[in-house]
Amino acid sequence: MTVPLRRNRDYTLLWVGQACAEVGFSASLIAFPLLVLAVTGSAVASGVVLAADAVAQFVVGLPGGALADRWDRRRVMLACEGVQAAALASLVAVLLLDAVVLPHLVLVAVVLGACRALFEPAEDASIAAIVPDDQLATAIALNSARSSIGQLAGTALGGVLFAIARWVPFLLDLITHVIAFTALLFLRLPPRRVERAPLRGLGREVRDGIRWVARHPEIRVTTLCAVVLNLFFSAFYLIVIVLADQRGVPAGEIGIMAAMLGAGGLLGALIAPALHRALRPHIAIAAVFWALTALAPLTLLVPGGYLMGAVFAAMALFAPTANTTITTHQLLLTPDEMRGRLSGVMNVAVGAAAAIGPALGGVLAETLTARHAVVVCVIGMAVVTLFVTVNPTLRRYPGRAHQREEVQL
């Protein structure tokens, strides 16, 4: 008899530990650029620190997925949590001593970004090992809810704690990583064969992961579509903030507007398991594309930050269902020894789009009016939405019955 997910000891340990870590991460994420500005007075320096984090994630992403398949995944996660806690402890210490310097901030950002790039493939691959196939979709949806909760709570705490003292949000992040590390100490993963191959073979293993993604049409097509959608939505998000500022929306109201995106994602994650069961896979995937394309133009029409935030919340509602449908199928299709590399490829592809998107949004906002820049992004989203709607591979996207057959084979 299958144990209910809420009584799955190992999944609960992983979920609770990482929920705490998500809160701390979001708190320090908003505090980091504020800290750099306070220390250096330079917006360029703030950008360099944030870029260092993003570059580290990008560089480590693909080999990190291969290492998650090669090494003991629990030890990888433990090492990442421990190293992040040590990096944050060093940051808290220099802040208390008033001895912080820019190179140290860059180094901490690199360490944190690299550890996340290593941790995520190990966690993604582990979920399929500790959760039964018929509960995997619910587990993935709950992980989306976890991220939304962390973003909402951490973002709210980060600014408040930074106002108390510069080191406080980073102390919170340190404490939450210690909690996550402790939870992982009690995590039990099914035994698996661990490779002892030399690191010089890592490049070949990375290429094997990329070929695995490229060889499966539904993974290849959904990845391409997700990259394009993330690119234009990330640009759109920045442009709408610029548009709100031009309209004279107060900064506090803009903050609430941005937070409502996370609130919509949280609500969407809660209803994702039911929608995943009720909707055909193609409809579940296409719904988020149509929602973004149809709702984005409303930001040009509605007045005030609160109504624009409501549009943001509605746009985020169907994303967890699409993510649940896609990720569940990919994990069930992919053999265990390849799941880390699958996650690494996905994270790098989608993360690159999310990183380039704001730069695209900045260029559009500088060269066009904000309204025209929104229109450009809507056109980009509309093109990929039409492609998703008519693409034969996505229209034949495998359902749950087909996924069970693939697992049995």
Side-chain angles (χ1 to χ4, degrees), residues 96-123:
L96 287 172
L97 295 172
D98 196 23
V100 62
V101 292
L102 182 60
H104 184 219
L105 295 177
V106 173
L107 178 61
V108 170
V110 168
V111 169
L112 296 179
C115 285
R116 284 196 297 275
L118 279 167
F119 186 97
E120 289 175 7
E123 183 195 11

Side-chain angles (χ1 to χ4, degrees), residues 158-320:
V160 173
L161 295 178
F162 188 83
I164 296 173
R166 294 176 181 176
W167 53 270
V168 178
F170 303 104
L171 177 63
L172 172 66
D173 200 6
L174 166 61
I175 292 170
T176 59
H177 280 295
V178 171
I179 293 171
F181 180 90
T182 305
L184 286 169
L185 287 174
F186 297 95
L187 180 69
R188 297 175 303 201
L189 294 179
R192 55 187 293 269
R193 186 172 64 88
V194 178
E195 290 287 344
R196 301 294 182 188
L199 284 178
R200 64 176 178 269
L202 196 63
R204 175 181 53 79
E205 294 171 23
V206 169
R207 290 192 295 272
D208 289 344
I210 296 172
R211 280 195 288 266
W212 171 264
V213 171
R215 192 164 63 240
H216 292 81
E218 65 270 37
I219 300 180
R220 185 175 66 242
V221 173
T222 50
T223 301
L224 173 64
C225 295
V227 166
V228 176
L229 186 67
N230 270 274
L231 176 69
F232 283 107
F233 179 76
S234 298
F236 164 81
Y237 178 78
L238 177 64
I239 293 165
V240 170
I241 291 176
V242 173
L243 180 64
D245 182 66
Q246 290 178 352
R247 291 176 174 175
V249 176
E253 198 170 324
I254 291 177
I256 294 173
M257 177 185 80
M260 289 179 74
L261 184 69
L266 175 58
L267 178 58
L270 296 176
I271 64 176
L275 291 179
H276 172 73
R277 291 189 296 268
L279 299 177
R280 287 178 47 235
H282 179 237
I283 295 175
I285 295 169
V288 66
F289 287 82
W290 277 106
L292 292 178
T293 302
L295 292 171
L298 293 181
T299 57
L300 298 175
L301 305 176
V302 297
Y306 297 123
L307 287 177
M308 293 171 78
V311 174
F312 271 171
M315 294 174 79
L317 198 60
F318 294 106

Side-chain angles (χ1 to χ4, degrees), residues 32-33 35-37 40 42-56 101-110 116:
F32 227 128
L35 172 63
V36 179
L37 284 171
T40 68
S42 169
V44 173
S46 182
V48 167
V49 172
L50 294 179
D53 181 291
V55 169
V101 292
L102 182 60
H104 184 219
L105 295 177
V106 173
L107 178 61
V108 170
V110 168
R116 284 196 297 275

Side-chain angles (χ1 to χ4, degrees), residues 57-73 76 117-123 125 192-210 213 335-348:
Q57 289 190 66
F58 184 79
V59 170
V60 178
L62 291 177
L67 292 173
D69 287 335
R70 175 188 285 205
W71 291 345
D72 183 291
R73 289 167 180 160
V76 169
L118 279 167
F119 186 97
E120 289 175 7
E123 183 195 11
R192 55 187 293 269
R193 186 172 64 88
V194 178
E195 290 287 344
R196 301 294 182 188
L199 284 178
R200 64 176 178 269
L202 196 63
R204 175 181 53 79
E205 294 171 23
V206 169
R207 290 192 295 272
D208 289 344
I210 296 172
V213 171
D336 179 70
E337 65 271 15
M338 192 67 71
R339 283 172 176 158
R341 278 167 281 184
L342 169 72
S343 176
V345 173
M346 296 297 105
N347 290 341
V348 167

Side-chain angles (χ1 to χ4, degrees), residues 31 52 148-149 297 342 375:
S148 296
I149 292 170
L342 169 72
V375 171

